[in-house]
């Protein structure tokens, strides 16, 4: 027996407990211990039934993902499950907390499953670029059918035990003393064996399988592992189970060492480390309950919804009655539409809205623990607002700015206690987008950063910590990306070609479609404000300015990089824009040339990698993998490609250096090669 597995006897029932805190992850030691325990159980004539249960707060909540990067050590999970199935005596699996991935597959290998109310069950393997590899795709369909299995496995869906009971995945649901109930249950099964593998293979209509598959593939953006998962699940209808299991294992092993799975593991670990700072003993972040949001515009209303949905009390304040009314309406409409579409119960919506207040009176912010301003992007307005906040807020409240580009140190310096000032940069729509940049200013107290991390965690967001620098992390990288795309326009590419190449790579949207959606005038105003300090020697692409001068501000004006007809979902190529682009090339004496999609994607990735090198050298980020997290969670970068840092590391420093030399030549004056050491530390 390994130290991760304990066994004890309750008369004729053997209890096998998995103890691998904190999540009882299925590791080599756990698998070996389980194997030994099953053999012991099988060979002990006085033990007539067994219970497998998790120690601590959970059953096996997943596999030890670190092991996935190496050859997997014996015994493999399928062998452990085979030993349980081959054992002539019944084994009951007792679930609490979470039974995910390999943990759930183990449960499917047992004769019956009993669960504590609230237990979360699922096969999330597809989110890591793989498929269940220990029988999940073969056993689950025998319980719930082909179509439902496609939905749950391909979506990596987690369900609660009550639903699992309804579906027939678990046999019994209890709400107290799980172990006692499991032992009684096991005893009632003595002399019986009920393996899922012996259930007849389910059959299904071609049309309904096709429908479920198409839905799953669409949601999963056609990822190859999801296609494989569907194939494995549908194999159940025609293949004997042992052949189905062997095929599934082979596919799992191939996917596990593939590039997508590697990239997704990189993202997984990069995201998981984000909350590590919170475990430091010296950081005891103040608990926040009441949030005040200043500004009831696009961002203010989104932030208010995000906070309300996480259970905070929210006060929304705006200086303007009409703007406040609009913001309040947006919040209410959001919950109304969730209720109407069945995504939220009316009771829950009412509970959220019960904690929502709004006002134009500053005195109301006195009870707030955290005040987030989302007023106009103007330094003087921000100063005025912070002055008002200081007059009325409690001395302990944390004060945050949602500014995209303004210098938060400059705002903090004018307050009487800059240690409580920080940036909380949400992305639009704030109730949807996962990313938050937490901006650490010169004087921000570590406890304020810790409180912000905890706040982000409760919101269900993915935070990265940035120093206070222009554009923080994400917008800095995105600016380098867009600049590179503009260079390519000038050199010979067209907007639709660049957008198609990047969407083909997996970006949610191409840069020019994004620009049209967010409005070209915002970036134009920014460029005008920076014009005086711009180095005239640097390469500057005038195309966006020319479009703005022609009144083409994007979707809202019906014209931008594309032309938009009323109600159309996407824009159409506009010959006028192509002519503007060609004239811009001619004005600089450039001979236009053609681009392949591959070249477009490579240049974009290299430009991003280079900018990340700068961000690290300038100490804007302390861990470069935060940049990958920011791009995936805030900028539509395809998660399964890992992010620029992952790509740089895969490429290797030498190749990267030479490709960046080439990019520097193509980009011309103003492109500064970054020191890349920080990406390879
Ligand atoms: P918005 O124009 O939609 O809303 C601003 C609101 O602030 C208005 O309702 C206005 O009445 C109110 N306001 C202005 N001055 C005020 C004052 N002195 N006191 C109280 N209320 C005042 O703007 P937005 O798009 O929500 O942006 C707000 C902030 O968030 C800006 O700093 C912006 O840079 C930042 N931001 C915007 C986005 C985005 O995509 N819109 C994304 C991230 C960050």
């Amino acid at each position: 027996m390994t130290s991760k597995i304990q066994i004890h006897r309750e008369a004729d029932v053997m209890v096998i407990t998995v103890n691998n805190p904190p999540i009882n992850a299925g590791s080599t030691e756990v698998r070996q211990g389980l194997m030994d325990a099953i053999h012991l159980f099988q060979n002990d004539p006085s033990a007539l039934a067994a219970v497998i249960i998790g120690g601590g707060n959970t059953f096996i909540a997943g596999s030890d993902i670190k092991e996935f990067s190496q050859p997997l050590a014996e015994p493999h999970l399928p062998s452990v499950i085979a030993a349980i199935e081959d054992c002539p005596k019944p084994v009951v699996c007792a679930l609490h907390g979470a039974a995910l991935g390999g943990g759930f597959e183990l449960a499917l290998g047992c004769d019956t499953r009993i669960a504590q109310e609230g237990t979360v069950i699922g096969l999330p393997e597809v989110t890591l670029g793989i498929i269940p590899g220990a029988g999940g795709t073969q056993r689950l369909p025998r319980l719930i059918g082909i179509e439902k299995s496609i939905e749950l496995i391909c979506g990596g869906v987690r369900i609660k035990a009550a639903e699992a009971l309804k579906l027939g995945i678990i046999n019994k649901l209890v709400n107290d003393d799980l172990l006692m109930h499991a032992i009684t249950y096991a005893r009632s099964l003595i002399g019986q064996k009920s393996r899922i593998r012996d259930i007849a293979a389910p059959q299904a209509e071609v049309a309904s399988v096709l429908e479920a598959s198409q839905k799953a593939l669409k949601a999963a953006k056609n990822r190859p592992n999801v296609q494989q998962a569907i194939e494995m699940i549908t194999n159940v209808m025609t293949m004997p189970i042992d052949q189905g299991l062997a095929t599934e294992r082979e596919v799992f092993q191939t996917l596990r060492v593939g590039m997508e799975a590697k990239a997704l593991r990189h993202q997984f670990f990069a995201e998981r480390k984000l909350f590590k700072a919170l475990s430091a003993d010296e950081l005891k972040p103040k608990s926040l309950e009441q949030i005040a949001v200043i500004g009831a515009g696009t961002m203010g209303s989104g932030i208010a919804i995000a906070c309300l949905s996480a259970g905070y009390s929210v006060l929304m304040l705006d200086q303007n009655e009409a703007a406040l009314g609009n913001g309040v309406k947006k919040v209410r409409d959001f919950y109304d539409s969730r209720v109407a579409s069945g995504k939220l119960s009316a009771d829950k919506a009412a509970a959220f809205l019960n904690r929502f207040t709004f006002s134009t009176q500053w005195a109301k912010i006195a009870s707030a623990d955290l005040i987030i301003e989302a007023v106009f992007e103007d330094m003087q307005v921000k100063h005025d607002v912070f002055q008002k906040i200081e007059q009325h807020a409690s001395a302990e409240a944390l004060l945050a700015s949602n500014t995209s580009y303004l210098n938060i140190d400059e705002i903090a310096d004018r307050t009487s206690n800059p240690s409580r000032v920080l940036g909380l940069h949400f992305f639009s729509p704030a109730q949807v987008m996962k990313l938050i940049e937490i901006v650490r200013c010169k004087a921000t107290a570590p406890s304020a950063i810790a409180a912000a991390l905890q706040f982000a965690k409760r919101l269900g967001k993915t935070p990265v910590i940035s120093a206070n620098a222009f554009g923080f992390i994400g917008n800095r990288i995105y600016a380098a990306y867009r600049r590179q795309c503009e260079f390519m326009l000038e050199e010979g590419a067209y907007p639709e070609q660049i957008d198609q190449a990047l969407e083909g790579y997996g970006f949610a949207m191409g840069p020019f479609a994004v620009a049209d959606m967010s409005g070209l005038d915002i970036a134009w105003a920014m460029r005008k404000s920076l014009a005086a300090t711009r180095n005239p020697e640097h390469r500057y692409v005038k195309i966006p300015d020319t479009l703005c001068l022609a009144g083409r501000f994007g979707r809202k004006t019906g014209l931008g990089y594309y032309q938009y007809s009323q109600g159309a979902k996407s824009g159409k190529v506009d010959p006028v824009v192509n002519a503007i682009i060609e004239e811009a090339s001619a004005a600089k004496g450039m001979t236009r040339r053609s681009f392949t999609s591959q070249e477009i994607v490579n240049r974009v990735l290299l430009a991003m990698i280079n900018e990340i090198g700068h961000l690290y050298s300038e100490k804007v980020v302390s861990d470069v993998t935060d940049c990958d997290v920011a791009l995936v969670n805030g900028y539509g970068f395809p998660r399964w490609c890992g992010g620029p840092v992952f790509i740089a590391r895969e490429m290797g420093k030498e190749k990267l250096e030479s490709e960046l030399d080439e990019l520097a030549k193509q980009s011309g004056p103003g492109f500064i090669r970054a020191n890349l050491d920080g990406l390879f530390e």
Side-chain angles (χ1 to χ4, degrees):
M1 202 72 43
T2 65
S3 62
K4 309 286 184 195
I5 302 293
Q6 276 80 49
I7 55 169
H8 77 275
R9 287 291 290 274
E10 297 279 345
D12 47 359
V13 177
M14 181 179 279
V15 178
I16 302 167
T17 308
V18 182
N19 266 314
N20 187 21
I23 62 153
N24 284 330
S27 63
T28 305
E29 254 188 289
V30 167
R31 296 194 301 273
Q32 185 60 59
L34 282 170
M35 191 66 139
D36 295 345
I38 295 299
H39 286 148
L40 213 68
F41 167 56
Q42 181 161 355
N43 295 326
D44 182 345
S46 64
L48 302 180
V51 169
I52 302 179
I53 192 166
N57 296 329
T58 184
F59 189 65
I60 298 174
S63 298
D64 185 347
I65 293 165
K66 284 194 293 301
E67 289 190 358
F68 282 14
S69 305
Q70 302 136 21
L72 290 180
E74 299 277 358
H76 292 182
L77 188 53
S79 315
V80 177
I81 292 172
I84 295 172
E85 288 187 326
D86 291 346
C87 174
K89 298 181 271 188
V91 180
V92 170
C93 207
L95 311 175
H96 72 304
L100 299 172
F104 181 37
E105 290 182 293
L106 177 72
L108 291 172
C110 295
D111 292 84
T112 50
R113 287 147 295 283
I114 177 170
Q116 182 121 14
E117 237 168 86
T119 306
V120 177
I121 288 164
L123 292 170
E125 283 84 349
V126 291
T127 60
L128 285 173
I130 54 176
I131 60 166
T137 66
Q138 304 302 294
R139 292 190 182 87
L140 190 60
R142 286 178 156 80
L143 287 181
I144 64 171
I146 303 293
E147 298 91 331
K148 193 71 188 170
S149 298
I150 290 176
E151 181 193 326
L152 296 190
I153 293 174
C154 296
V157 179
R158 293 158 195 235
I159 57 168
K160 286 276 179 72
E163 193 185 342
L165 180 73
K166 268 194 223 146
L167 289 170
I169 295 173
I170 62 165
N171 310 79
K172 225 176 166 69
L173 189 61
V174 295
N175 54 20
D176 61 348
D177 206 340
L178 174 67
L179 180 58
M180 190 263 295
H181 284 291
I183 291 167
T184 311
Y185 192 24
R187 203 164 276 139
S188 74
L189 299 172
I190 288 173
Q192 301 170 36
K193 196 73 188 156
S194 50
R195 310 181 307 175
I196 292 177
R197 63 179 292 129
D198 298 328
I199 298 173
Q203 295 305 316
E205 295 289 331
V206 176
S208 62
V209 172
L210 203 65
E211 193 189 327
S213 306
Q214 278 166 349
K215 204 166 153 197
L217 282 170
K218 187 164 176 237
K221 303 209 163 138
N222 273 318
R223 297 328 305 150
N225 65 318
V226 173
Q227 295 176 18
Q228 300 265 34
I230 293 171
E231 201 177 314
M232 297 306 108
I233 297 165
T234 48
N235 278 348
V236 171
M237 294 189 282
T238 52
M239 262 186 199
I241 185 153
D242 287 324
Q243 194 188 343
L245 288 170
T247 312
E248 177 205 71
R249 189 69 184 171
E250 208 180 304
V251 170
F252 162 81
Q253 292 287 32
T254 308
L255 288 169
R256 181 176 68 80
V257 294
M259 195 52 85
E260 286 205 11
K262 200 173 170 192
L264 288 161
R265 285 197 291 275
H266 164 84
Q267 261 296 324
F268 174 85
F269 288 118
E271 285 175 11
R272 206 179 61 162
K273 70 165 196 310
L274 299 170
F275 295 107
K276 262 203 175 137
L278 283 175
S279 53
D281 284 345
E282 67 276 15
L283 288 179
K284 293 256 174 319
K286 174 178 149 64
S287 123
L288 312 171
E289 280 311 321
Q290 304 212 26
I291 316 294
V293 180
I294 315 295
T298 310
M299 294 309 289
S301 44
I303 295 169
I305 294 168
C307 295
L308 286 167
S309 300
Y312 289 105
S313 296
V314 176
L315 163 76
M316 184 189 257
L317 183 144
D318 203 293
Q319 62 175 8
N320 177 311
E321 286 278 0
L324 183 65
N326 277 337
V328 169
K329 184 172 181 310
K330 268 192 206 154
V331 173
R332 289 192 175 137
D333 286 353
F334 172 82
Y335 288 111
D336 286 351
S337 71
R338 303 276 296 171
V339 172
S341 63
K343 290 188 181 125
L344 187 70
S345 73
D347 286 355
K348 272 206 173 141
F352 290 145
L353 287 169
N354 256 341
R355 285 194 307 274
F356 180 48
T357 51
F358 44 90
S359 179
T360 53
Q361 303 300 312
W362 286 90
K364 291 276 188 313
I365 68 170
S367 56
D369 305 309
L370 165 66
I371 298 163
I372 306 170
E373 72 74 16
V375 299
F376 300 140
E377 184 78 338
D378 177 285
M379 189 51 102
Q380 193 50 51
V381 177
K382 302 278 188 199
H383 282 316
D384 294 347
V385 163
F386 268 79
Q387 209 180 2
K388 280 269 182 28
I389 292 174
E390 280 211 299
Q391 273 168 26
H392 296 277
S394 119
E396 275 77 48
L398 295 178
L399 315 184
S401 172
N402 181 50
T403 179
S404 304
Y405 291 102
L406 297 175
N407 181 344
I408 309 177
D409 273 324
E410 202 179 315
I411 299 173
D413 283 349
R414 291 241 207 130
T415 66
S416 54
N417 177 9
S419 75
R420 61 168 172 160
V421 178
L422 73 158
L424 281 178
H425 185 216
F426 287 78
F427 289 74
S428 182
Q431 70 275 21
V432 176
M433 297 297 288
K434 284 272 177 206
L435 182 63
I436 298 189
E437 289 176 322
I438 298 176
V439 184
R440 187 205 311 260
C441 301
K442 272 191 325 238
T444 310
S447 61
I449 297 294
L453 275 173
Q454 202 159 61
F455 171 64
K457 193 173 184 181
R458 181 156 153 196
L459 294 184
K461 302 279 185 203
T462 308
V464 293
I465 299 177
S466 169
N468 175 43
F470 186 79
F472 311 127
I473 298 173
N475 282 347
R476 254 294 280 282
I477 304 171
Y478 195 74
Y481 158 44
R482 223 191 30 233
R483 208 162 35 243
Q484 198 54 234
C485 292
E486 289 168 3
F487 290 167
M488 289 188 277
L489 282 187
E490 222 176 38
E491 290 167 37
Y494 291 98
E496 70 279 10
Q497 204 188 347
I498 293 178
D499 280 353
Q500 274 166 18
L502 291 160
E503 284 165 20
Y505 178 70
F507 274 93
M509 266 173 106
F512 298 110
V514 169
D516 275 358
M517 195 179 68
S518 30
L520 304 189
D521 48 334
I522 299 167
W524 190 34
M526 173 88 65
R527 287 194 301 277
K528 284 194 280 194
S529 74
L530 297 174
T533 52
R534 187 176 303 122
N535 184 337
E537 306 287 313
H538 289 180
R539 180 173 176 186
Y540 181 78
V541 178
K542 288 191 179 150
I543 297 162
D545 293 351
T546 312
L547 294 177
C548 288
L549 283 167
R552 306 182 70 111
F553 293 157
R555 266 177 186 275
K556 60 187 167 194
T557 53
L559 294 169
Y561 282 98
Y562 300 96
Q563 49 180 320
Y564 299 88
S565 48
Q566 194 96 38
K569 270 196 167 172
S570 54
K572 282 208 310 245
V573 171
D574 190 340
V576 175
V577 174
N578 290 355
I580 289 174
I581 292 170
E582 284 157 16
E583 273 166 33
S585 311
K588 284 199 184 170
M590 297 172 87
T591 311
R592 293 181 64 79
R593 66 174 179 92
S594 63
F595 279 81
T596 63
S597 294
Q598 186 64 49
E599 188 181 358
I600 291 169
V601 171
N602 279 353
R603 276 183 65 164
V604 159
L605 293 175
L606 288 168
M608 287 181 159
I609 292 168
N610 191 59
E611 200 61 27
I612 292 170
H614 286 309
L615 286 171
Y616 186 74
S617 306
E618 293 166 26
K619 298 194 166 42
V620 178
V621 282
S622 55
D623 182 330
V624 285
T625 65
D626 285 3
C627 299
D628 288 353
V629 171
L631 290 166
V632 164
N633 290 285
Y635 293 83
F637 193 101
R639 177 176 287 270
W640 60 89
C641 296
V645 174
F646 174 78
I647 291 161
R649 288 176 180 171
E650 284 300 311
M651 208 188 269
K653 196 160 180 227
E654 207 176 315
K655 182 159 188 267
L656 185 59
E657 295 280 10
S658 85
E659 295 208 2
L660 277 176
D661 285 342
E662 189 54 34
L663 184 73
K665 273 191 231 145
Q666 289 162 332
S667 301
F671 183 92
I672 300 166
R673 283 275 272 102
N675 179 336
L676 299 174
D677 293 348
L679 277 82
F680 292 91
E681 272 171 7

